[in-house]
Amino acid sequence: MNPQINSEEQQLIDLMDSARRVFVFCGAGVSAESGVPTFRGMGGLWEGHRVEDVATPEAFQRDPVTVWRFYAARQAGLMGVLPNPAHQVLAAMERHYPAFLLVSQNVDNLHERAGSHRLVKLHGSLMETRCTAHGTVTTIDAPVPLPTLERGELPRCPEGGLLRPNVVWFGEWLDPDHLARIEQFLQAAEREPPGSLLLLSIGTSGQVSGGYGFLELVTALGGHTVEVNPEPTPFSKVVDLALRSPAGELLERVWPQVVQQRLQCVVAQKEP
Ligand code: BV8
């Protein structure tokens, strides 16, 4: 056993080695090592506003300039950061497991920039706008300029429709197509050998997503559940394995061991 790997990490490696269907559910903690502040890290605040009070349709209705300043500042913050090893390993895992789905609560674009494609952005994307008049979604490659917002000029579509950030605000429903895709991916485990399904909950406090029920569904389907988070969360008591480590640092160390172990298994099966 690799001296750098402790017994809990070896358990994770064994679970990732034997998994045939991998569901990764992640939150702001995955981007923490890229320097993107987590919501709990910001104390859930922005300029003294509670995030839950700014990231709502009511706030946008009441004061769209302030809400756009909140998002334009985060868009600008995204320009200076890069995917970290957690994003890179998650993108590598997608290429390794035939059945793999990454469901992220993060609105940053670091999963995409690391090469993830089998990806559900459950809460939308910071670098996309949606027209409130026509519903058109547009990807932007630069932040909405703060000076225009300071002048009270709001981003609009060519026909003058007010643009909003293409994110899910508090009080808004999740995209039913996203939920259907997740449900279909997880339910497929029913037709596979027990223990094939593995859920990795990485870098989420569960304070928002606790109600989404993915952990309960995986458990009901006989899947294994693992949490990666330096801090305890409501999930910690119910998962099979909880690793108190930063995601990037841990995944960068364990992933090569998983690939090596799976390769040895394939070679062993082929030996006469
Ligand atoms: C919905 C986009 C129904 C916008 C976001 C229960 C009680 C009261 C109200 C509710 C409730 N359940 C749901 C609600 C309503 C509401 C809600 O959640 N309210 C809050 C105030 C409780 N929820 C909704 O309205 C949601 N809609 O539930 O619809 C439904 C449900 C199921 C099925 C169909 C319909 C929609 C909520 C979406 C809100 N939008 N983002 C924007 O970003 O501006 S949420 C936003 O906050 C983020 O996207 C993120 O999801 C969330 C923060 O959560 P985390 O990602 O977990 O981040 P956090 O900072 O909390 O934790 C980071 C963790 O990382 C920590 O644990 C830390 O220890 C760890 N960490 C730090 N460093 C590392 C690390 N981990 C690993 N490695 C590291 N290096």
Side-chain angles (χ1 to χ4, degrees):
M1 187 161 88
N2 181 316
Q4 265 194 346
I5 299 287
N6 67 34
S7 60
E8 282 187 331
E9 292 161 354
Q10 188 54 52
Q11 281 180 65
L12 172 62
I13 291 165
D14 294 341
L15 286 171
M16 292 174 75
D17 174 22
S18 54
R20 293 293 170 270
R21 179 172 292 272
V22 178
F23 178 79
V24 179
F25 182 60
C26 58
V30 163
S31 298
E33 288 155 273
S34 295
V36 180
T38 67
F39 287 75
R40 298 303 163 266
M42 295 189 301
L45 292 176
W46 171 74
E47 288 194 354
H49 299 282
R50 278 165 28 93
V51 169
E52 290 86 354
D53 297 337
V54 180
T56 70
E58 294 78 15
F60 189 67
Q61 186 74 32
R62 186 176 59 247
D63 183 357
V65 170
T66 296
V67 173
W68 259 118
R69 282 181 50 243
F70 173 51
Y71 286 94
R74 288 165 67 196
Q75 290 169 350
L78 206 45
M79 295 303 112
V81 299
L82 294 171
N84 70 61
H87 299 104
Q88 282 145 8
V89 167
L90 292 174
M93 286 173 67
E94 164 181 316
R95 297 189 289 271
H96 189 88
Y97 292 101
F100 178 89
L101 188 61
L102 171 58
V103 176
S104 185
Q105 300 173 88
N106 300 340
V107 295
D108 64 47
N109 57 3
L110 296 175
H111 293 299
E112 298 92 321
R113 287 164 60 190
S116 287
H117 299 285
R118 271 184 261 155
L119 166 64
V120 173
K121 298 286 289 293
L122 211 49
H123 291 159
S125 296
L126 197 53
M127 298 309 288
E128 289 178 353
T129 61
R130 187 167 83 238
C131 179
T132 57
H134 309 98
T136 319
V137 172
T138 306
T139 299
I140 55 178
D141 53 15
V144 171
L146 278 167
T148 55
L149 292 170
E150 304 295 355
R151 290 195 299 272
E153 288 168 35
L154 290 164
R156 295 187 177 279
C157 81
E159 289 78 36
L162 176 59
L163 301 182
R164 60 166 280 178
N166 190 35
V167 298
V168 179
W169 278 326
F170 290 99
E172 294 188 316
W173 281 69
L174 303 182
D175 181 335
D177 292 343
H178 285 164
L179 295 169
R181 182 177 176 192
I182 293 166
E183 180 106 16
Q184 187 189 13
F185 178 82
L186 293 177
Q187 292 292 0
E190 282 188 319
R191 300 186 293 278
E192 293 167 351
S196 302
L197 176 60
L198 172 64
L199 172 141
L200 300 180
S201 174
I202 306 177
T204 182
S205 66
Q207 298 200 14
V208 169
S209 59
Y212 296 156
F214 302 140
L215 183 62
E216 293 81 353
L217 179 52
V218 169
T219 305
L221 288 165
H224 296 293
T225 54
V226 176
E227 174 182 57
V228 176
N229 192 322
E231 305 292 330
T233 75
F235 299 139
S236 304
K237 295 188 190 64
V238 293
V239 293
D240 299 321
L241 179 65
L243 292 132
R244 293 274 164 268
S245 301
E249 186 275 328
L250 178 74
L251 291 176
E252 190 175 34
R253 260 188 312 111
V254 305
W255 179 240
Q257 305 296 323
V258 174
V259 174
Q260 187 184 357
Q261 207 164 290
R262 281 169 75 92
L263 208 59
Q264 281 163 355
C265 174
V266 167
V267 168
Q269 280 167 357
K270 288 202 167 31
E271 270 168 2

